């Protein structure tokens, strides 16, 4: 009990940092995901191919590899032009999470867009809207309703995946756990249990909220 009381302040700071990483990364991932989804459904090849290639690379390679490439590879390149300070644990962690999840959110939004009846697009055009106006005002709002539940699930996944920032000395809940395990290796179980409880306290309320939103959307659409 004394060990948990001593570790709790540091673990809470790590929990807060985990939430900050995700609170910054996930909105960026959503915006990029919408852009990528629009590009992949575009009739123009010069938009579809780069978007499809980015998605395949991000989804086909481990996030930890992407993170290390950003932190060490891009950091080394920027060091040559005296911009190495731009790459640190925060910027690399946020960028890696945002870019990786953007690829997954693109697929989520693409599925959402395809779930909107094609007649909605035709109706928007018949009202005098351009393709872009119809997409923003008619198609996208309907697609957002479809994709809200999977977006909430993906945010929960990001909470857990954000632990990878600990490999580049990013301060999050997992990195704090590792430090305290090293200091108190003879009593690791209470520390693991504390980290588990804190991750659950982050994810379970969001999961419950997601189920509530999903039920409301189903009721509205039925």
């Amino acid at each position: 009990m004394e060990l948990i009381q001593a570790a709790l302040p540091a673990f809470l700071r790590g929990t807060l940092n985990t939430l900050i990483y995700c609170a910054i990364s996930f909105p960026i991932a959503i915006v990029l995901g919408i852009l990528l989804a629009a590009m992949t459904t575009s009739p123009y090849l010069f938009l579809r191919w780069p978007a499809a290639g980015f998605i395949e690379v991000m989804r086909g390679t481990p996030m930890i590899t992407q993170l290390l490439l950003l932190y060490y590879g891009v950091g080394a390149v920027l060091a040559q032009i005296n911009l190495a300070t731009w790459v640190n644990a925060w910027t690399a962690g946020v960028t890696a999470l945002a870019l990786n999840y953007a690829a997954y959110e693109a697929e989520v939004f693409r599925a959402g867009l395809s779930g909107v009846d094609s007649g909605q697009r035709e109706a928007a055009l018949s009202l005098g809207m351009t393709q872009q106006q119809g997409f923003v005002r008619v198609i996208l709002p309907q697609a957002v309703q479809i994709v809200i539940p999977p977006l909430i699930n993906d945010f929960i996944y990001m909470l857990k995946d954000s632990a990878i920032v600990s490999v580049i000395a990013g301060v999050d809940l997992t990195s704090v756990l590792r430090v305290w395990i090293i200091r108190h290796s003879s009593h690791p179980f209470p520390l693991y249990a504390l980290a588990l409880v804190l991750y659950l306290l982050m994810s379970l309320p969001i999961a419950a909220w997601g189920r509530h939103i999903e039920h409301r959307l189903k009721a509205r659409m039925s």
Side-chain angles (χ1 to χ4, degrees):
M1 192 64 183
E2 292 181 0
L3 178 58
I4 292 179
Q5 291 178 343
L8 186 58
F11 275 58
L12 290 176
R13 287 193 296 272
T15 300
L16 177 60
N17 283 346
T18 294
L19 290 170
I20 292 173
Y21 269 112
C22 296
I24 298 173
S25 302
F26 201 67
I28 297 173
I30 289 177
V31 172
L32 292 176
I34 293 173
L35 178 61
L36 289 167
M39 291 173 66
T40 57
T41 57
S42 168
Y44 303 110
L45 290 177
F46 70 89
L47 292 177
R48 289 207 313 267
W49 287 4
F54 175 86
I55 291 170
E56 290 302 320
V57 170
M58 290 294 106
R59 296 183 62 181
T61 57
M63 193 194 304
I64 190 171
T65 304
Q66 300 162 14
L67 175 64
L68 294 174
L69 177 63
L70 283 168
Y71 188 64
Y72 293 107
V74 175
V77 172
L78 293 179
Q80 302 298 318
I81 53 176
N82 298 320
L83 293 176
T85 55
W86 285 28
V87 178
N88 53 45
W90 274 104
T91 57
V94 166
T95 303
L97 288 167
L99 292 180
N100 184 273
Y101 270 80
Y104 289 93
E105 304 323 309
E107 293 299 291
V108 169
F109 277 102
R110 186 182 62 80
L113 291 172
S114 64
V116 178
D117 190 276
S118 59
Q120 297 293 318
R121 190 185 303 272
E122 296 171 2
L125 294 175
S126 68
L127 291 174
M129 296 184 189
T130 64
Q131 289 279 1
Q132 292 77 12
Q133 290 173 332
F135 177 80
V136 173
R137 297 180 183 179
V138 178
I139 306 301
L140 187 58
Q142 295 184 61
V144 167
Q145 295 187 44
I146 298 173
V147 303
I148 284 177
L151 287 181
I152 294 173
N153 288 334
D154 282 349
F155 184 78
I156 295 173
Y157 292 141
M158 181 181 279
L159 281 173
K160 295 178 286 186
D161 285 344
S162 65
I164 66 165
V165 303
S166 62
V167 304
I168 57 171
V171 181
D172 75 318
L173 179 53
T174 297
S175 66
V176 172
L177 171 64
R178 292 172 61 182
V179 170
W180 277 78
I181 290 294
I182 292 172
R183 294 177 181 173
H184 304 275
S185 58
S186 59
H187 300 89
F189 181 78
L191 299 172
Y192 285 122
L194 178 58
L196 177 66
V197 169
L198 290 173
Y199 272 115
L200 284 173
L201 289 176
M202 286 189 285
S203 62
L204 289 180
I206 298 172
W209 179 63
R211 288 192 294 271
H212 173 69
I213 295 296
E214 186 173 2
H215 291 325
R216 290 189 60 182
L217 289 174
K218 286 182 178 178
R220 185 183 301 176
M221 297 173 66
S222 61

